[in-house]
Amino acid sequence: MEEKKDKLARVQCLARLVGSGSSNVDHAEPTQPINNTDKFHEEKNTEPEHNKGRRREMKTMYSCGPELAALEHSIRKLENKLLIGTWQVEHLQMYKYFRPFQPAEPESDSAPGVNHNTSGTSDSSDMTQMKPLPPAGSLIVHDKDCSELFDRLRPSSGFYRIRPKSHQDPFLVYCDMEDGGGWTVFQKRRHGKVDFNRDWVDYRDGFGDFKLWNDEFWLGNEHIYSLLLAEGKNLVKIDLMDWDGQKSYAFYDNFKITNEADKYRLQYDMYSGKAGDALAGGGGMVEQWSTSLSGMQFSTRDQDNDRYLQGSCAQENKAGWWFNRCHAANLNGKFYRSGKYKGQYDNGVVWGTWKGLWYSLRHTTMKVRPLVFLDAMGSGAGDI
Ligand SMILES: [Ca+2]
């Protein structure tokens, strides 16, 4: 009987998690779900004789914290897989990605034919057997980023799978094939529907929606790390738009972040552009000492790695970002629909050198492509 209740509680945990698994997850304090549960049971168990059982269930609910976390993690993973699977099928069909599986190039020291066995797939190039859907092993992601995809197929902007490093699993990204083309987008704000005030794991793994052209997302620090690493010398472009439709942009050469062990520390070289070098903090030396983001580690509301000893920049600014003490640029800040805003903290979607700290931007995009691509295509400034 106890076991049954346990299972029931788990199912309820799971049900609640799935119910709140949308992009608009309210990351409430831990007390809130428990209150909700309370309400749920009050509605259900109006008769007093059930109170005992109810209390026992409540106890189980309290004790399933670690399970909740584990379930949440696996749900997020599964959702990601499902999402990728769906897009995989659509885009592979659309762009005729279907090709017979080709095992990786044989290592120079391996005996001839060995790789055939490891692949487990016949090498016969029978393209005709690929209707209507190929087996999973036949789905090859060719491209390390959107620039390779652009070079190869010239597709329109949209979501595609890329694989920056050959040994890692492919993942879904938005490719901006306008503006010179070949941009891999790793941050996007458009309408404020996605909550960017999130924990470390969310920022690490990525969050948001990956379906429509105007969906908002953070690609995830782990993905951004591998992407920027694979680019070699790269160029990051930051596109900005205010609430009057006015646009601006900033370029940064060799934008890099370190790995998780070093808390995804930010590094970049030269700035160019129109919107001002807000990552460097703007202003004079004194301001820059507090607000330059170069060399800063990533912080989230649950991981304070900033240089502000008295408090947490991520908590004040409601964002995960590379805070100093704290910033002159924070594109993951709170989304204010009014543009200009007031408050205790300058926690909007901010690019200080363009619109000041008390103006929250409407659109932001952070995107990257290899520097050599820029040489081939021109300025890359597009129609802005
Ligand atoms: Ca701090």
Side-chain angles (χ1 to χ4, degrees):
M1 191 63 189
E2 278 299 320
E3 222 172 78
K4 218 173 175 185
K5 295 243 165 174
D6 245 33
K7 269 184 190 161
L8 179 67
R10 277 177 209 174
V11 168
Q12 284 170 343
C13 290
L14 186 59
R16 275 174 42 232
L17 279 171
V18 169
S20 64
S22 77
S23 60
N24 296 324
V25 173
D26 180 17
H27 285 264
E29 295 301 313
T31 49
Q32 194 167 321
I34 290 160
N35 286 342
N36 288 346
T37 316
D38 212 359
K39 213 189 303 161
F40 170 75
H41 283 292
E42 265 167 26
E43 281 163 15
K44 203 180 161 194
N45 301 318
T46 44
E47 289 147 53
E49 58 260 33
H50 289 172
N51 277 359
K52 235 187 207 171
R54 178 192 153 205
R55 217 174 298 128
R56 205 177 302 133
E57 275 181 33
M58 288 284 292
K59 223 171 150 188
T60 322
M61 291 293 281
Y62 275 111
S63 65
C64 71
E67 274 174 7
L68 277 175
L71 284 170
E72 196 169 23
H73 186 71
S74 49
I75 286 171
R76 198 182 299 129
K77 268 187 146 174
L78 287 171
E79 279 178 343
N80 190 34
K81 269 189 184 167
L82 186 65
L83 199 65
I84 286 178
T86 310
W87 277 97
Q88 182 178 300
V89 169
E90 278 181 25
H91 285 277
L92 295 186
Q93 280 174 335
M94 194 179 300
Y95 294 104
K96 303 187 170 47
Y97 261 80
F98 300 157
R99 297 184 186 184
F101 180 73
Q102 293 162 344
E105 289 296 314
E107 302 289 333
S108 52
D109 57 349
S110 66
V114 166
N115 55 322
H116 285 266
N117 297 334
T118 52
S119 76
T121 314
S122 160
D123 207 7
S124 70
S125 307
D126 185 6
M127 301 285 278
T128 54
Q129 74 181 23
M130 295 303 173
K131 55 167 189 184
L133 278 178
S138 300
L139 304 175
I140 297 177
V141 173
H142 299 263
D143 309 297
K144 76 176 170 66
D145 64 8
C146 297
S147 73
E148 276 195 6
L149 177 64
F150 184 80
D151 281 346
R152 205 162 54 80
L153 293 173
R154 292 281 191 279
S156 53
S157 296
F159 289 92
Y160 299 91
R161 293 195 313 157
I162 60 164
R163 176 154 47 188
K165 289 184 256 174
S166 56
H167 63 267
Q168 77 180 144
D169 287 337
F171 55 87
L172 204 65
V173 294
Y174 185 79
C175 293
D176 178 357
M177 299 310 197
E178 309 297 315
D179 196 11
W183 295 101
T184 308
V185 178
F186 58 89
Q187 191 264 19
K188 219 156 122 177
R189 304 297 290 274
R190 284 296 181 276
H191 38 63
K193 286 180 189 162
V194 172
D195 182 8
F196 273 61
N197 187 19
R198 292 178 180 248
D199 290 341
W200 183 266
V201 285
D202 282 359
Y203 269 96
R204 184 191 64 198
D205 300 342
F207 60 82
D209 300 320
F210 292 82
K211 284 181 183 168
L212 305 173
W213 67 272
N214 65 340
D215 277 346
E216 299 181 315
F217 58 83
W218 179 258
L219 183 59
N221 288 335
E222 207 47 46
H223 288 152
I224 295 170
Y225 168 67
S226 59
L227 175 68
L228 296 177
L229 207 65
E231 293 286 347
K233 289 211 164 195
N234 69 44
L235 181 76
V236 157
K237 188 180 181 210
I238 296 170
D239 287 324
L240 308 168
M241 191 179 93
D242 68 12
W243 287 84
D244 297 320
Q246 203 188 342
K247 293 177 180 177
S248 196
Y249 60 87
F251 288 109
Y252 288 93
D253 282 1
N254 293 327
F255 198 93
K256 293 267 191 288
I257 59 174
T258 60
N259 62 14
E260 188 178 17
D262 194 34
K263 310 293 182 192
Y264 304 115
R265 189 187 299 274
L266 178 62
Q267 300 158 339
Y268 54 85
D269 291 345
M270 251 205 1
Y271 158 83
S272 56
K274 267 170 53 177
D277 187 3
L279 289 190
M285 292 282 282
V286 179
E287 288 92 341
Q288 287 180 11
W289 184 77
S290 298
T291 55
S292 172
L293 305 186
S294 179
M296 293 302 124
Q297 294 181 319
F298 203 85
S299 290
T300 51
R301 60 183 179 181
D302 62 336
Q303 266 215 41
D304 182 354
N305 302 311
D306 61 38
R307 290 181 60 234
Y308 175 43
L309 297 178
Q310 292 81 19
S312 156
C313 292
Q315 281 177 13
E316 287 184 1
N317 290 283
K318 305 207 173 298
W321 192 248
W322 301 276
F323 289 111
N324 184 336
R325 35 179 303 153
C326 289
H327 71 87
N330 168 22
L331 299 183
N332 289 343
K334 192 176 167 186
F335 196 89
Y336 289 93
R337 291 173 190 287
S338 45
K340 284 183 187 164
Y341 67 98
K342 289 176 186 166
Q344 200 182 348
Y345 305 108
D346 48 357
N347 59 10
V349 181
V350 166
W351 195 263
T353 50
W354 186 40
K355 288 288 184 179
L357 298 172
W358 298 97
Y359 188 96
S360 188
L361 301 167
R362 185 174 188 177
H363 289 187
T364 74
T365 305
M366 300 177 78
K367 57 194 188 185
V368 64
R369 72 182 179 193
L371 205 57
V372 285
F373 188 89
L374 181 76
D375 295 336
M377 296 300 298
S379 79
D383 58 352
I384 286 175

